[in-house]
PDB file of all heavy atoms in Angstrom:
ATOM      1  N   SER A 497     -84.100  23.499   3.101  1.00 91.00           N
ATOM      2  CA  SER A 497     -85.356  23.775   3.687  1.00 91.00           C
ATOM      3  C   SER A 497     -86.009  22.494   4.307  1.00 91.00           C
ATOM      4  O   SER A 497     -86.050  21.442   3.676  1.00 91.00           O
ATOM      5  CB  SER A 497     -86.451  24.373   2.588  1.00 91.00           C
ATOM      6  OG  SER A 497     -87.719  24.329   3.115  1.00 91.00           O
ATOM      7  N   ASP A 498     -86.431  22.599   5.538  1.00 87.00           N
ATOM      8  CA  ASP A 498     -87.172  21.583   6.243  1.00 87.00           C
ATOM      9  C   ASP A 498     -88.684  21.805   6.075  1.00 87.00           C
ATOM     10  O   ASP A 498     -89.539  21.148   6.674  1.00 87.00           O
ATOM     11  CB  ASP A 498     -86.857  21.481   7.654  1.00 87.00           C
ATOM     12  CG  ASP A 498     -86.714  20.089   8.191  1.00 87.00           C
ATOM     13  OD1 ASP A 498     -86.889  19.095   7.325  1.00 87.00           O
ATOM     14  OD2 ASP A 498     -86.434  19.941   9.394  1.00 87.00           O
ATOM     15  N   GLY A 499     -89.051  22.698   5.142  1.00 88.00           N
ATOM     16  CA  GLY A 499     -90.453  23.100   5.030  1.00 88.00           C
ATOM     17  C   GLY A 499     -90.989  23.811   6.242  1.00 88.00           C
ATOM     18  O   GLY A 499     -90.342  24.423   6.904  1.00 88.00           O
ATOM     19  N   ILE A 500     -92.412  23.646   6.543  1.00 89.00           N
ATOM     20  CA  ILE A 500     -93.029  24.236   7.714  1.00 89.00           C
ATOM     21  C   ILE A 500     -93.315  23.119   8.574  1.00 89.00           C
ATOM     22  O   ILE A 500     -93.697  21.948   8.165  1.00 89.00           O
ATOM     23  CB  ILE A 500     -94.237  25.103   7.310  1.00 89.00           C
ATOM     24  CG1 ILE A 500     -95.185  24.305   6.452  1.00 89.00           C
ATOM     25  CG2 ILE A 500     -93.813  26.378   6.638  1.00 89.00           C
ATOM     26  CD1 ILE A 500     -96.444  25.081   6.084  1.00 89.00           C
ATOM     27  N   LYS A 501     -93.403  23.320   9.864  1.00 89.00           N
ATOM     28  CA  LYS A 501     -93.630  22.376  10.900  1.00 89.00           C
ATOM     29  C   LYS A 501     -95.178  22.275  11.163  1.00 89.00           C
ATOM     30  O   LYS A 501     -95.838  23.144  11.324  1.00 89.00           O
ATOM     31  CB  LYS A 501     -92.976  22.661  12.195  1.00 89.00           C
ATOM     32  CG  LYS A 501     -91.383  22.737  12.119  1.00 89.00           C
ATOM     33  CD  LYS A 501     -90.800  21.447  11.892  1.00 89.00           C
ATOM     34  CE  LYS A 501     -89.223  21.512  11.856  1.00 89.00           C
ATOM     35  NZ  LYS A 501     -88.553  20.235  11.638  1.00 89.00           N
ATOM     36  N   VAL A 502     -95.634  20.962  11.170  1.00 91.00           N
ATOM     37  CA  VAL A 502     -97.068  20.756  11.538  1.00 91.00           C
ATOM     38  C   VAL A 502     -97.274  21.073  12.979  1.00 91.00           C
ATOM     39  O   VAL A 502     -96.568  20.394  13.832  1.00 91.00           O
ATOM     40  CB  VAL A 502     -97.470  19.329  11.135  1.00 91.00           C
ATOM     41  CG1 VAL A 502     -98.899  19.087  11.575  1.00 91.00           C
ATOM     42  CG2 VAL A 502     -97.303  19.022   9.770  1.00 91.00           C
ATOM     43  N   PRO A 503     -98.146  21.914  13.335  1.00 92.00           N
ATOM     44  CA  PRO A 503     -98.408  22.333  14.774  1.00 92.00           C
ATOM     45  C   PRO A 503     -98.971  21.114  15.491  1.00 92.00           C
ATOM     46  O   PRO A 503     -99.620  20.194  14.927  1.00 92.00           O
ATOM     47  CB  PRO A 503     -99.333  23.394  14.712  1.00 92.00           C
ATOM     48  CG  PRO A 503    -100.048  23.337  13.426  1.00 92.00           C
ATOM     49  CD  PRO A 503     -99.125  22.678  12.483  1.00 92.00           C
ATOM     50  N   ASP A 504     -98.741  21.183  16.739  1.00 92.00           N
ATOM     51  CA  ASP A 504     -99.316  20.011  17.684  1.00 92.00           C
ATOM     52  C   ASP A 504    -100.781  20.364  17.995  1.00 92.00           C
ATOM     53  O   ASP A 504    -101.163  21.396  18.584  1.00 92.00           O
ATOM     54  CB  ASP A 504     -98.532  19.956  18.954  1.00 92.00           C
ATOM     55  CG  ASP A 504     -98.935  18.772  19.761  1.00 92.00           C
ATOM     56  OD1 ASP A 504     -99.906  18.154  19.405  1.00 92.00           O
ATOM     57  OD2 ASP A 504     -98.334  18.623  20.902  1.00 92.00           O
ATOM     58  N   LEU A 505    -101.774  19.580  17.488  1.00 92.00           N
ATOM     59  CA  LEU A 505    -103.108  19.815  17.555  1.00 92.00           C
ATOM     60  C   LEU A 505    -103.830  18.935  18.755  1.00 92.00           C
ATOM     61  O   LEU A 505    -105.095  19.070  18.904  1.00 92.00           O
ATOM     62  CB  LEU A 505    -103.787  19.507  16.284  1.00 92.00           C
ATOM     63  CG  LEU A 505    -103.301  20.237  14.995  1.00 92.00           C
ATOM     64  CD1 LEU A 505    -104.065  19.662  13.852  1.00 92.00           C
ATOM     65  CD2 LEU A 505    -103.384  21.708  15.188  1.00 92.00           C
ATOM     66  N   ALA A 506    -102.998  18.253  19.471  1.00 90.00           N
ATOM     67  CA  ALA A 506    -103.667  17.357  20.502  1.00 90.00           C
ATOM     68  C   ALA A 506    -104.404  18.103  21.490  1.00 90.00           C
ATOM     69  O   ALA A 506    -103.963  19.120  22.032  1.00 90.00           O
ATOM     70  CB  ALA A 506    -102.533  16.545  21.204  1.00 90.00           C
ATOM     71  N   GLY A 507    -105.689  17.726  21.801  1.00 87.00           N
ATOM     72  CA  GLY A 507    -106.505  18.319  22.821  1.00 87.00           C
ATOM     73  C   GLY A 507    -107.186  19.602  22.361  1.00 87.00           C
ATOM     74  O   GLY A 507    -107.983  20.145  23.090  1.00 87.00           O
ATOM     75  N   LYS A 508    -106.893  20.017  21.121  1.00 90.00           N
ATOM     76  CA  LYS A 508    -107.591  21.249  20.605  1.00 90.00           C
ATOM     77  C   LYS A 508    -108.986  20.893  20.112  1.00 90.00           C
ATOM     78  O   LYS A 508    -109.321  19.814  19.735  1.00 90.00           O
ATOM     79  CB  LYS A 508    -106.871  21.912  19.514  1.00 90.00           C
ATOM     80  CG  LYS A 508    -105.357  22.180  19.775  1.00 90.00           C
ATOM     81  CD  LYS A 508    -105.269  23.328  20.811  1.00 90.00           C
ATOM     82  CE  LYS A 508    -103.819  23.793  21.033  1.00 90.00           C
ATOM     83  NZ  LYS A 508    -102.907  22.731  21.648  1.00 90.00           N
ATOM     84  N   THR A 509    -109.915  21.925  20.104  1.00 88.00           N
ATOM     85  CA  THR A 509    -111.213  21.659  19.566  1.00 88.00           C
ATOM     86  C   THR A 509    -111.008  21.753  18.035  1.00 88.00           C
ATOM     87  O   THR A 509    -110.044  22.248  17.514  1.00 88.00           O
ATOM     88  CB  THR A 509    -112.184  22.814  19.970  1.00 88.00           C
ATOM     89  OG1 THR A 509    -111.688  24.045  19.432  1.00 88.00           O
ATOM     90  CG2 THR A 509    -112.303  22.807  21.485  1.00 88.00           C
ATOM     91  N   ARG A 510    -112.142  21.364  17.300  1.00 87.00           N
ATOM     92  CA  ARG A 510    -112.076  21.400  15.912  1.00 87.00           C
ATOM     93  C   ARG A 510    -111.846  22.818  15.386  1.00 87.00           C
ATOM     94  O   ARG A 510    -111.050  23.079  14.437  1.00 87.00           O
ATOM     95  CB  ARG A 510    -113.430  20.928  15.319  1.00 87.00           C
ATOM     96  CG  ARG A 510    -113.595  20.882  13.842  1.00 87.00           C
ATOM     97  CD  ARG A 510    -114.938  20.500  13.388  1.00 87.00           C
ATOM     98  NE  ARG A 510    -114.999  20.356  11.982  1.00 87.00           N
ATOM     99  CZ  ARG A 510    -115.485  19.260  11.331  1.00 87.00           C
ATOM    100  NH1 ARG A 510    -115.654  18.153  12.001  1.00 87.00           N
ATOM    101  NH2 ARG A 510    -115.556  19.177  10.054  1.00 87.00           N
ATOM    102  N   GLU A 511    -112.526  23.807  16.101  1.00 87.00           N
ATOM    103  CA  GLU A 511    -112.328  25.215  15.678  1.00 87.00           C
ATOM    104  C   GLU A 511    -110.927  25.675  15.928  1.00 87.00           C
ATOM    105  O   GLU A 511    -110.313  26.456  14.994  1.00 87.00           O
ATOM    106  CB  GLU A 511    -113.418  26.069  16.351  1.00 87.00           C
ATOM    107  CG  GLU A 511    -114.843  25.880  16.049  1.00 87.00           C
ATOM    108  CD  GLU A 511    -115.371  24.492  16.582  1.00 87.00           C
ATOM    109  OE1 GLU A 511    -114.788  23.946  17.568  1.00 87.00           O
ATOM    110  OE2 GLU A 511    -116.401  24.171  16.176  1.00 87.00           O
ATOM    111  N   GLN A 512    -110.358  25.331  16.968  1.00 88.00           N
ATOM    112  CA  GLN A 512    -109.026  25.769  17.271  1.00 88.00           C
ATOM    113  C   GLN A 512    -108.056  25.152  16.293  1.00 88.00           C
ATOM    114  O   GLN A 512    -107.123  25.779  15.863  1.00 88.00           O
ATOM    115  CB  GLN A 512    -108.609  25.381  18.750  1.00 88.00           C
ATOM    116  CG  GLN A 512    -109.339  26.154  19.812  1.00 88.00           C
ATOM    117  CD  GLN A 512    -109.244  25.594  21.197  1.00 88.00           C
ATOM    118  OE1 GLN A 512    -108.818  24.450  21.341  1.00 88.00           O
ATOM    119  NE2 GLN A 512    -109.679  26.287  22.290  1.00 88.00           N
ATOM    120  N   ALA A 513    -108.218  23.851  16.045  1.00 89.00           N
ATOM    121  CA  ALA A 513    -107.322  23.174  15.034  1.00 89.00           C
ATOM    122  C   ALA A 513    -107.351  23.885  13.707  1.00 89.00           C
ATOM    123  O   ALA A 513    -106.346  24.072  12.995  1.00 89.00           O
ATOM    124  CB  ALA A 513    -107.671  21.688  14.973  1.00 89.00           C
ATOM    125  N   THR A 514    -108.618  24.107  13.285  1.00 89.00           N
ATOM    126  CA  THR A 514    -108.782  24.839  11.893  1.00 89.00           C
ATOM    127  C   THR A 514    -107.959  26.152  11.881  1.00 89.00           C
ATOM    128  O   THR A 514    -107.264  26.453  10.931  1.00 89.00           O
ATOM    129  CB  THR A 514    -110.311  25.038  11.638  1.00 89.00           C
ATOM    130  OG1 THR A 514    -110.968  23.879  11.681  1.00 89.00           O
ATOM    131  CG2 THR A 514    -110.462  25.774  10.316  1.00 89.00           C
ATOM    132  N   GLN A 515    -108.209  27.002  12.950  1.00 89.00           N
ATOM    133  CA  GLN A 515    -107.557  28.277  13.000  1.00 89.00           C
ATOM    134  C   GLN A 515    -106.021  28.132  12.938  1.00 89.00           C
ATOM    135  O   GLN A 515    -105.326  28.763  12.221  1.00 89.00           O
ATOM    136  CB  GLN A 515    -108.035  29.066  14.213  1.00 89.00           C
ATOM    137  CG  GLN A 515    -107.485  30.456  14.402  1.00 89.00           C
ATOM    138  CD  GLN A 515    -107.952  31.122  15.519  1.00 89.00           C
ATOM    139  OE1 GLN A 515    -108.448  30.521  16.437  1.00 89.00           O
ATOM    140  NE2 GLN A 515    -107.755  32.458  15.603  1.00 89.00           N
ATOM    141  N   LEU A 516    -105.418  27.191  13.732  1.00 90.00           N
ATOM    142  CA  LEU A 516    -103.982  27.057  13.849  1.00 90.00           C
ATOM    143  C   LEU A 516    -103.413  26.591  12.601  1.00 90.00           C
ATOM    144  O   LEU A 516    -102.269  27.009  12.116  1.00 90.00           O
ATOM    145  CB  LEU A 516    -103.699  25.968  14.941  1.00 90.00           C
ATOM    146  CG  LEU A 516    -102.283  26.013  15.522  1.00 90.00           C
ATOM    147  CD1 LEU A 516    -101.811  27.371  15.888  1.00 90.00           C
ATOM    148  CD2 LEU A 516    -102.187  25.042  16.685  1.00 90.00           C
ATOM    149  N   LEU A 517    -104.092  25.557  11.875  1.00 90.00           N
ATOM    150  CA  LEU A 517    -103.574  25.058  10.629  1.00 90.00           C
ATOM    151  C   LEU A 517    -103.618  26.147   9.560  1.00 90.00           C
ATOM    152  O   LEU A 517    -102.597  26.306   8.714  1.00 90.00           O
ATOM    153  CB  LEU A 517    -104.388  23.798  10.163  1.00 90.00           C
ATOM    154  CG  LEU A 517    -104.101  22.554  11.003  1.00 90.00           C
ATOM    155  CD1 LEU A 517    -105.180  21.499  10.604  1.00 90.00           C
ATOM    156  CD2 LEU A 517    -102.710  22.044  10.807  1.00 90.00           C
ATOM    157  N   GLN A 518    -104.650  26.882   9.476  1.00 88.00           N
ATOM    158  CA  GLN A 518    -104.733  27.958   8.451  1.00 88.00           C
ATOM    159  C   GLN A 518    -103.701  29.049   8.682  1.00 88.00           C
ATOM    160  O   GLN A 518    -103.180  29.589   7.768  1.00 88.00           O
ATOM    161  CB  GLN A 518    -106.174  28.534   8.400  1.00 88.00           C
ATOM    162  CG  GLN A 518    -107.213  27.535   7.916  1.00 88.00           C
ATOM    163  CD  GLN A 518    -108.582  28.056   7.893  1.00 88.00           C
ATOM    164  OE1 GLN A 518    -108.908  28.963   8.684  1.00 88.00           O
ATOM    165  NE2 GLN A 518    -109.510  27.456   7.176  1.00 88.00           N
ATOM    166  N   GLN A 519    -103.426  29.366   9.977  1.00 86.00           N
ATOM    167  CA  GLN A 519    -102.463  30.351  10.297  1.00 86.00           C
ATOM    168  C   GLN A 519    -101.031  29.929   9.758  1.00 86.00           C
ATOM    169  O   GLN A 519    -100.264  30.691   9.442  1.00 86.00           O
ATOM    170  CB  GLN A 519    -102.383  30.696  11.664  1.00 86.00           C
ATOM    171  CG  GLN A 519    -103.621  31.479  12.185  1.00 86.00           C
ATOM    172  CD  GLN A 519    -103.582  31.676  13.663  1.00 86.00           C
ATOM    173  OE1 GLN A 519    -103.012  31.059  14.418  1.00 86.00           O
ATOM    174  NE2 GLN A 519    -104.590  32.583  14.221  1.00 86.00           N
ATOM    175  N   THR A 520    -100.829  28.609   9.908  1.00 85.00           N
ATOM    176  CA  THR A 520     -99.579  27.960   9.565  1.00 85.00           C
ATOM    177  C   THR A 520     -99.445  27.863   7.994  1.00 85.00           C
ATOM    178  O   THR A 520     -98.273  27.700   7.451  1.00 85.00           O
ATOM    179  CB  THR A 520     -99.361  26.580  10.129  1.00 85.00           C
ATOM    180  OG1 THR A 520     -99.647  26.661  11.612  1.00 85.00           O
ATOM    181  CG2 THR A 520     -97.933  26.044  10.041  1.00 85.00           C
ATOM    182  N   GLY A 521    -100.456  27.985   7.212  1.00 88.00           N
ATOM    183  CA  GLY A 521    -100.412  27.865   5.850  1.00 88.00           C
ATOM    184  C   GLY A 521    -100.815  26.438   5.299  1.00 88.00           C
ATOM    185  O   GLY A 521    -100.466  25.954   4.252  1.00 88.00           O
ATOM    186  N   LEU A 522    -101.540  25.651   6.211  1.00 91.00           N
ATOM    187  CA  LEU A 522    -101.855  24.209   5.862  1.00 91.00           C
ATOM    188  C   LEU A 522    -103.349  24.064   5.728  1.00 91.00           C
ATOM    189  O   LEU A 522    -104.012  24.947   6.249  1.00 91.00           O
ATOM    190  CB  LEU A 522    -101.405  23.310   6.904  1.00 91.00           C
ATOM    191  CG  LEU A 522     -99.786  23.266   7.155  1.00 91.00           C
ATOM    192  CD1 LEU A 522     -99.434  22.444   8.284  1.00 91.00           C
ATOM    193  CD2 LEU A 522     -99.093  22.803   5.842  1.00 91.00           C
ATOM    194  N   ASN A 523    -103.752  23.225   5.009  1.00 92.00           N
ATOM    195  CA  ASN A 523    -105.254  22.858   4.791  1.00 92.00           C
ATOM    196  C   ASN A 523    -105.746  21.825   5.655  1.00 92.00           C
ATOM    197  O   ASN A 523    -105.189  20.626   5.576  1.00 92.00           O
ATOM    198  CB  ASN A 523    -105.521  22.588   3.306  1.00 92.00           C
ATOM    199  CG  ASN A 523    -105.075  23.653   2.331  1.00 92.00           C
ATOM    200  OD1 ASN A 523    -105.415  24.821   2.614  1.00 92.00           O
ATOM    201  ND2 ASN A 523    -104.599  23.355   1.251  1.00 92.00           N
ATOM    202  N   PRO A 524    -106.662  22.012   6.624  1.00 92.00           N
ATOM    203  CA  PRO A 524    -107.182  20.888   7.469  1.00 92.00           C
ATOM    204  C   PRO A 524    -108.236  20.054   6.725  1.00 92.00           C
ATOM    205  O   PRO A 524    -109.015  20.451   5.897  1.00 92.00           O
ATOM    206  CB  PRO A 524    -107.901  21.820   8.589  1.00 92.00           C
ATOM    207  CG  PRO A 524    -108.300  22.974   7.950  1.00 92.00           C
ATOM    208  CD  PRO A 524    -107.276  23.280   6.912  1.00 92.00           C
ATOM    209  N   SER A 525    -108.261  18.810   7.056  1.00 93.00           N
ATOM    210  CA  SER A 525    -109.272  17.830   6.623  1.00 93.00           C
ATOM    211  C   SER A 525    -109.668  17.023   7.887  1.00 93.00           C
ATOM    212  O   SER A 525    -108.861  16.340   8.517  1.00 93.00           O
ATOM    213  CB  SER A 525    -108.673  16.899   5.530  1.00 93.00           C
ATOM    214  OG  SER A 525    -109.593  15.940   5.182  1.00 93.00           O
ATOM    215  N   PHE A 526    -111.052  17.078   8.225  1.00 92.00           N
ATOM    216  CA  PHE A 526    -111.405  16.531   9.486  1.00 92.00           C
ATOM    217  C   PHE A 526    -112.150  15.179   9.227  1.00 92.00           C
ATOM    218  O   PHE A 526    -112.860  14.910   8.318  1.00 92.00           O
ATOM    219  CB  PHE A 526    -112.396  17.443  10.191  1.00 92.00           C
ATOM    220  CG  PHE A 526    -111.682  18.669  10.762  1.00 92.00           C
ATOM    221  CD1 PHE A 526    -111.622  19.907  10.081  1.00 92.00           C
ATOM    222  CD2 PHE A 526    -110.960  18.570  11.954  1.00 92.00           C
ATOM    223  CE1 PHE A 526    -110.973  21.030  10.483  1.00 92.00           C
ATOM    224  CE2 PHE A 526    -110.308  19.642  12.510  1.00 92.00           C
ATOM    225  CZ  PHE A 526    -110.276  20.960  11.789  1.00 92.00           C
ATOM    226  N   GLN A 527    -111.857  14.183  10.213  1.00 92.00           N
ATOM    227  CA  GLN A 527    -112.612  13.052  10.390  1.00 92.00           C
ATOM    228  C   GLN A 527    -113.152  12.943  11.762  1.00 92.00           C
ATOM    229  O   GLN A 527    -112.476  13.324  12.749  1.00 92.00           O
ATOM    230  CB  GLN A 527    -111.741  11.890  10.050  1.00 92.00           C
ATOM    231  CG  GLN A 527    -111.189  11.824   8.580  1.00 92.00           C
ATOM    232  CD  GLN A 527    -110.267  10.630   8.284  1.00 92.00           C
ATOM    233  OE1 GLN A 527    -109.934   9.876   9.327  1.00 92.00           O
ATOM    234  NE2 GLN A 527    -109.748  10.590   7.128  1.00 92.00           N
ATOM    235  N   GLU A 528    -114.454  12.418  12.077  1.00 90.00           N
ATOM    236  CA  GLU A 528    -115.020  12.318  13.308  1.00 90.00           C
ATOM    237  C   GLU A 528    -115.133  10.896  13.739  1.00 90.00           C
ATOM    238  O   GLU A 528    -115.184   9.973  13.056  1.00 90.00           O
ATOM    239  CB  GLU A 528    -116.452  12.930  13.268  1.00 90.00           C
ATOM    240  CG  GLU A 528    -116.356  14.408  13.069  1.00 90.00           C
ATOM    241  CD  GLU A 528    -117.825  15.114  13.155  1.00 90.00           C
ATOM    242  OE1 GLU A 528    -118.761  14.299  13.095  1.00 90.00           O
ATOM    243  OE2 GLU A 528    -117.902  16.315  13.134  1.00 90.00           O
ATOM    244  N   GLN A 529    -114.968  10.707  15.114  1.00 91.00           N
ATOM    245  CA  GLN A 529    -115.215   9.434  15.726  1.00 91.00           C
ATOM    246  C   GLN A 529    -115.831   9.607  17.111  1.00 91.00           C
ATOM    247  O   GLN A 529    -115.738  10.720  17.740  1.00 91.00           O
ATOM    248  CB  GLN A 529    -113.848   8.690  15.789  1.00 91.00           C
ATOM    249  CG  GLN A 529    -112.872   9.335  16.778  1.00 91.00           C
ATOM    250  CD  GLN A 529    -111.735   8.499  16.958  1.00 91.00           C
ATOM    251  OE1 GLN A 529    -111.141   7.864  15.999  1.00 91.00           O
ATOM    252  NE2 GLN A 529    -111.044   8.376  18.172  1.00 91.00           N
ATOM    253  N   ASP A 530    -116.442   8.679  17.622  1.00 88.00           N
ATOM    254  CA  ASP A 530    -116.988   8.750  18.976  1.00 88.00           C
ATOM    255  C   ASP A 530    -115.936   8.853  20.073  1.00 88.00           C
ATOM    256  O   ASP A 530    -114.801   8.216  19.902  1.00 88.00           O
ATOM    257  CB  ASP A 530    -117.933   7.485  19.224  1.00 88.00           C
ATOM    258  CG  ASP A 530    -119.170   7.546  18.296  1.00 88.00           C
ATOM    259  OD1 ASP A 530    -119.679   8.551  18.038  1.00 88.00           O
ATOM    260  OD2 ASP A 530    -119.570   6.348  17.975  1.00 88.00           O
TER     261      ASP A 530
END
Side-chain angles (χ1 to χ4, degrees):
S497 171
D498 219 4
I500 53 179
K501 299 291 186 181
V502 177
D504 186 359
L505 306 176
K508 304 292 189 294
T509 66
R510 180 184 185 124
E511 292 74 15
Q512 293 168 346
T514 299
Q515 182 180 16
L516 194 54
L517 289 173
Q518 289 176 343
Q519 288 175 348
T520 308
L522 300 173
N523 295 321
S525 174
F526 289 97
Q527 297 177 359
E528 294 183 346
Q529 68 178 36
D530 294 329

